[in-house]
Amino acid sequence: MLLFISLIFFGLLLLGTPIGFALGITAVLSLAKMSGVDQLPILLNPGSDVFIFKMVSQRFYAGLDMFTLMAMPFFIFAGAIMNKSGITHRLVKFSNTLVGHLRGGLAHANIVASIFFSGMTGAAVSDTAAIGTMLIPAMVEDGYDKDFSAAVTAASSIIGPTIPPSNMMVIYGSLMSVSIAGLFAAGFVPGLLIAIFLMILSGFIAKKRNYPKSARSSLKQILLATKEALLPLLMPIIILGGILTGIFTPTEAAAVAVAYAFIIGFFVLRTLKLGDIPDLLYQTGKTTGVVFLIIGSASILGWILTMERVPEAVAAGFLRVSDNPHIILLLILILMLIVGMFMDIAAALIILGPILHPIAVNNLGIDPIHFGIIMVLSLNLALMTPPVGACLFVACNISNLSLEALTKAIWPFIVVEVIALFIIAYWSDLVLFFPRLVGVG
Amino acid sequence: MQTRSIGSFALKLSLFIERLAAYPCIAATGAMTVVVLLGVLFRYVLQSPLSWSEEVARYLMIWAASLAISIGIMRREHLGITFLTSRIPASAQKYVAVLVNLAVLWFLWILTKFGYDMALEGQTQLSPVLAKYRINMMWSLSAIPVAGALAIIQTVLQIVVDLFRRKEDFDIKGMVDI
């Protein structure tokens, strides 16, 4: 059965079937095989008496029927409002007053801006787009190499989904029944660790190539930039503070984030117009629909995989290769990096999560929150790698570089991020001490 | 010339049906935000929690997301892996796309048909919290067959568009960014 499912699914994917539909078609074919339906007319148009096909609509509905998942459209909406309100340039300016005086100041500001930006949306590709549009031209004008500027922009986008709020974590927590509050709390340290690693590498390259630095900002300038960026920067604090103190559920906190973003954009910055809202809602709904189709269809297939004991079979397969948990974790990491290279990362998370999560938690004894962070990080890392890294494409578009040129410039950053990923994957206390400290781990 | 006009008619119809799904989708997404915020407001500010906010918001989300599936088909936002299909000749690509869409139609048909049965059965089942208002499960379960039917129409129209319009009219989108 596993072979049947994989053959159909990968066959459909290679033909270019949208992932959500490929999952659904595979699921219906598998149901037909399970129930022994083999006549074509019945297969094409099964009557209501073929009970097993009831699972299609029931599981699809059940897959969408989750209150925790609602945090995702809310965070998308809040991020869209923040972007529309033109928040990025304030965050970049604030970052530059903090670290611009270091050698290669704009590169550092680029990375620090990603940390702040991550508190607004957390989507890696919009991080690359928003910060790249501003900073890549500015860096080139300042004398930085274009390929380096694009590389540091794309590479630092991985911080977005790692530091909360993060829709990858919302999906993971909802599907795997893991505390979203715990995942959010656990994301901070890995996100900052990656930022530090990237800044060390950038500093090293900047020194070698003698990139410029700007004058140290005066206290007055820092205070002014802080004042400008303060209100947007409070948003992640309200979200996380609310969740970690138990005032809001993650979903409610995400709705509050929408209200907060609206108030800032409409009353404080006054750059948001009421007429913008329907289009932002439309964009939010559209993105949600794409992800929810995958979730609904994966929920049908997930039921079949459970009935057929596929996760157990996959676990047994891994355990046959080795009984050393460290080696199995290594295999899982490599698997996720490879899958992430070719598949949309939300889809990869929704498909691989239910299969790999039980192996990691039951067979390898990894904490569920820790494994969630590992999955989010390794899948997002694949956004920076060729042949189909979305962050690379966006950075190429902004900078007019070829994919080859950017690939050459970004590999040192990828090496550094892979090192960070391995530290995070194999050092659980590093990830878990903060959630434990605040009592959600 | 004749075939081109079939293609543009299909596209216009497709756009009309997209709007038909888009307005309720926009309204439901907005309403869902307001309902969850009301829930927070009533619990903390007015000290009298709303019993129904979570359930209503969940149903609105199911409707919004299901309706958006057909929008995504029209806007070609449902992504597949193209590194193999983009390497074959454009004329063959067209037929692969049609083949794939036929399989998609089959899945959508089964989802819609059994979703319709499921929604009818929901009439006899009261919604957990909203039961006191005599609301039954059909209200939310019917999102699946309605959205499925819209998705079927859009898929058929996109097949027609694929077959009758020139290649450069296509608008292939990038990547879903959450």
Side-chain angles (χ1 to χ4, degrees):
Chain A
M1 192 67 175
L2 178 57
L3 185 70
F4 176 83
I5 292 174
S6 336
L7 281 179
I8 304 253
F9 181 61
F10 289 113
L12 286 166
L13 283 187
L14 288 179
L15 288 176
T17 317
I19 292 171
F21 290 123
L23 287 165
I25 297 164
T26 309
V28 183
L29 278 172
S30 309
L31 284 173
K33 188 170 188 284
M34 279 165 85
S35 62
V37 175
D38 50 6
Q39 285 159 300
L40 197 61
I42 300 181
L43 189 63
L44 286 179
N45 182 20
S48 305
D49 54 325
V50 192
F51 288 113
I52 196 153
F53 286 122
K54 284 185 176 210
M55 293 317 294
V56 176
S57 57
Q58 280 177 11
R59 294 298 315 170
F60 193 92
Y61 179 87
L64 308 190
D65 190 17
M66 270 189 277
F67 187 64
T68 48
L69 268 182
M70 207 185 296
M72 188 193 89
F74 287 158
F75 282 135
I76 295 175
F77 189 27
I81 296 176
M82 281 291 198
N83 264 344
K84 186 86 192 171
S85 311
I87 213 67
T88 319
H89 80 274
R90 290 178 181 231
L91 296 178
V92 170
K93 198 173 154 199
F94 177 55
S95 310
N96 199 31
T97 57
L98 293 181
V99 291
H101 60 279
L102 301 172
R103 175 68 61 194
L106 281 178
H108 295 295
N110 194 324
I111 297 164
V112 173
S114 280
I115 299 178
F116 295 138
F117 197 81
S118 72
M120 308 296 134
T121 79
V125 186
S126 50
D127 180 306
T128 309
I131 295 177
T133 314
M134 279 197 65
L135 271 185
I136 294 175
M139 287 175 78
V140 172
E141 198 173 307
D142 239 20
Y144 293 79
D145 293 306
K146 199 191 246 183
D147 58 348
F148 170 81
S149 314
V152 78
T153 306
S156 62
S157 315
I158 196 181
I159 299 167
T162 315
I163 292 184
S166 159
N167 282 323
M168 296 282 283
M169 292 179 190
V170 169
I171 294 175
Y172 185 90
S174 301
L175 297 187
M176 260 56 84
S177 305
V178 175
S179 155
I180 293 173
L183 288 166
F184 279 8
F188 272 110
V189 174
L192 294 177
L193 182 78
I194 292 172
I196 292 167
F197 274 36
L198 291 177
M199 285 176 78
I200 292 172
L201 176 65
S202 302
F204 182 73
I205 296 175
K207 201 169 170 197
K208 215 172 79 180
R209 301 190 190 169
N210 203 19
Y211 284 144
K213 56 182 176 182
S214 49
R216 186 183 280 277
S217 305
S218 67
L219 191 64
K220 199 177 153 207
Q221 282 169 320
I222 295 179
L223 284 178
L224 195 70
T226 312
K227 194 179 138 239
E228 278 197 335
L230 186 66
L231 285 171
L233 285 176
L234 278 179
M235 183 163 111
I237 295 172
I238 293 171
I239 297 172
L240 291 165
I243 296 174
L244 296 182
T245 51
I247 297 175
F248 308 129
T249 64
T251 306
E252 288 171 342
V256 170
V258 172
Y260 188 79
F262 179 80
I263 291 169
I264 300 253
F266 196 67
F267 295 107
V268 182
L269 304 183
R270 296 169 192 234
T271 40
L272 186 75
K273 293 188 289 290
L274 265 188
D276 295 332
I277 297 293
D279 187 53
L280 297 177
L281 280 171
Y282 174 71
Q283 302 297 340
T284 305
K286 214 167 54 173
T287 309
T288 309
V290 173
V291 178
F292 274 41
L293 171 70
I294 299 171
I295 293 177
S297 299
S299 153
I300 315 171
L301 195 60
W303 181 81
I304 299 166
L305 294 180
T306 313
M307 295 304 282
E308 298 287 327
R309 307 189 147 274
V310 167
E312 285 90 336
V314 175
F318 273 112
L319 294 169
R320 222 174 296 133
V321 178
S322 166
D323 52 6
N324 182 338
H326 298 305
I327 293 185
I328 299 179
L329 180 58
L330 179 69
L331 293 176
I332 290 179
L333 283 170
I334 293 170
L335 174 73
M336 288 192 290
L337 288 173
I338 294 173
V339 171
M341 281 182 195
F342 294 98
M343 199 184 269
D344 175 66
I345 53 167
L349 180 70
I350 294 162
I351 296 165
L352 286 182
I355 298 173
L356 296 179
H357 177 84
I359 300 174
V361 174
N362 302 334
N363 299 85
L364 307 184
I366 299 174
D367 184 278
I369 290 176
H370 184 199
F371 191 66
I373 300 296
I374 294 174
M375 275 203 91
V376 169
L377 257 182
S378 51
L379 290 175
N380 274 292
L381 189 52
L383 289 176
M384 327 298 156
T385 57
V388 285
C391 289
L392 277 190
F393 288 164
V394 173
C396 283
N397 267 338
I398 297 170
S399 59
N400 288 322
L401 282 168
S402 71
L403 192 60
E404 288 73 29
L406 183 52
T407 305
K408 251 182 232 156
I410 204 173
W411 75 261
F413 291 94
I414 293 178
V415 169
V416 161
E417 286 177 343
V418 170
I419 295 171
L421 170 67
F422 276 84
I423 294 174
I424 289 157
Y426 284 98
W427 187 6
S428 64
D429 287 336
L430 182 75
V431 179
L432 294 172
F433 87 84
F434 187 66
R436 282 181 189 141
L437 189 73
V438 293
V440 289
Chain B
M1 205 57 216
Q2 185 61 27
T3 54
R4 287 288 303 284
S5 65
I6 296 176
S8 32
F9 175 73
L11 200 61
K12 271 190 197 126
L13 189 60
S14 186
L15 197 64
F16 173 74
I17 292 163
E18 190 259 8
R19 289 289 103 186
L20 224 54
Y23 292 120
C25 176
I26 290 169
T29 310
M32 157 182 114
T33 316
V34 173
V35 166
V36 173
L37 285 172
L38 279 180
V40 176
L41 191 75
F42 271 77
R43 192 168 75 235
Y44 286 110
V45 183
L46 306 176
Q47 303 280 326
S48 67
L50 294 176
S51 57
W52 48 266
S53 63
E54 181 181 324
E55 204 165 282
V56 170
R58 222 170 54 227
Y59 293 166
L60 286 167
M61 171 177 77
I62 292 167
W63 268 100
S66 310
L67 288 171
I69 293 173
S70 66
I71 299 175
I73 294 173
M74 193 260 151
R75 299 281 173 195
R76 306 201 173 207
E77 302 249 351
H78 298 291
L79 300 167
I81 294 169
T82 52
F83 75 85
L84 193 72
T85 46
S86 60
R87 280 168 174 71
I88 60 175
S91 53
Q93 273 183 38
K94 193 159 92 171
Y95 293 103
V96 171
V98 171
L99 192 75
V100 163
N101 273 329
L102 288 175
V104 169
L105 273 181
W106 175 63
F107 164 69
L108 286 172
W109 167 243
I110 291 180
L111 181 69
T112 308
K113 177 175 182 157
F114 285 86
Y116 179 76
D117 292 348
M118 172 177 78
L120 283 186
E121 283 166 28
Q123 278 180 310
T124 55
Q125 190 194 349
L126 287 173
S127 176
V129 178
L130 295 171
K132 57 186 172 202
Y133 304 108
R134 319 263 340 131
I135 301 285
N136 61 46
M137 288 304 292
M138 193 190 71
W139 288 99
S140 66
L141 290 171
S142 52
I144 304 296
V146 171
L150 286 170
I152 288 176
I153 298 171
Q154 289 290 21
T155 307
V156 171
L157 290 172
Q158 291 308 312
I159 292 178
V160 176
V161 171
D162 274 353
L163 285 177
F164 290 105
R165 278 177 76 94
R166 288 179 308 164
K167 175 82 175 119
E168 54 264 39
D169 294 336
F170 282 92
D171 177 20
I172 305 296
K173 290 286 161 58
M175 172 123 183
V176 184
D177 186 30
I178 56 163

